[in-house]
Amino acid sequence: QVQVMESGGGSVQPGGSLRLSCVASGYIGSTYCMGWFRQIPGQEREGVAAISYDGSITYADSVKDRFTISQDLSKNTLDLHTTDLQMNSLKPEDTAMYYCAATVGILTPAQALGLKYGMDYWGKGTLVNVSS
């Protein structure tokens, strides 16, 4: 059983920064993708950023040059995976519930971002609110 847990959400003024962290515990193995998704109530879930086991990264156009996804491979094991999302220059339209997810297998980060509801394992989400 894989459990995914996010942390780091909160409220921030426009132009501010937040850092989200995610831990996926349980066997995932050595080939995987981890990603961040966000959703506003009543709207479709959106892929934000994803990173694969080989370090490949893809961002949604809406967050490119503002958000940075990373993983610390020195901390990762076959049954423990982590990823962080550094969010800078935040805008009110970034307000959403942010979900971390992981999926097993060899796929590109772009393919993972397309799995808006289809990643293997999901966290419960952390709320990000950007307002003045």
Side-chain angles (χ1 to χ4, degrees):
Q1 182 94 16
V2 175
Q3 293 187 325
V4 180
M5 184 171 294
E6 307 94 340
S7 61
S11 294
V12 65
Q13 293 187 338
S17 298
L18 282 175
R19 187 176 185 88
L20 306 183
S21 294
C22 172
V23 177
S25 57
Y27 185 81
I28 288 179
S30 59
T31 53
Y32 59 88
C33 262
M34 295 189 74
W36 289 93
F37 300 78
R38 64 187 182 187
Q39 189 169 21
I40 299 170
Q43 296 190 18
E44 281 280 300
R45 188 170 294 174
E46 175 190 19
V48 175
I51 187 166
S52 67
Y53 66 96
D54 65 358
S56 300
I57 291 172
T58 296
Y59 295 99
D61 288 342
S62 58
V63 306
K64 208 171 289 185
D65 300 326
R66 297 188 299 122
F67 290 12
T68 302
I69 189 171
S70 63
Q71 61 180 348
D72 186 347
L73 293 177
S74 68
K75 295 182 180 178
N76 283 4
T77 65
L78 294 180
D79 53 12
L80 183 70
H81 297 76
T82 64
T83 183
D84 290 342
L85 185 69
Q86 177 66 41
M87 305 185 295
N88 298 328
S89 303
L90 282 161
K91 305 175 181 180
E93 51 264 43
D94 294 318
T95 295
M97 186 70 80
Y98 283 70
Y99 298 92
C100 178
T103 200
V104 177
I106 300 175
L107 70 167
T108 67
Q111 290 172 327
L113 286 189
L115 297 174
K116 293 182 291 185
Y117 300 95
M119 298 283 277
D120 292 328
Y121 307 104
W122 291 88
K124 293 183 178 180
T126 185
L127 184 62
V128 172
N129 181 40
V130 185
S131 67
S132 53

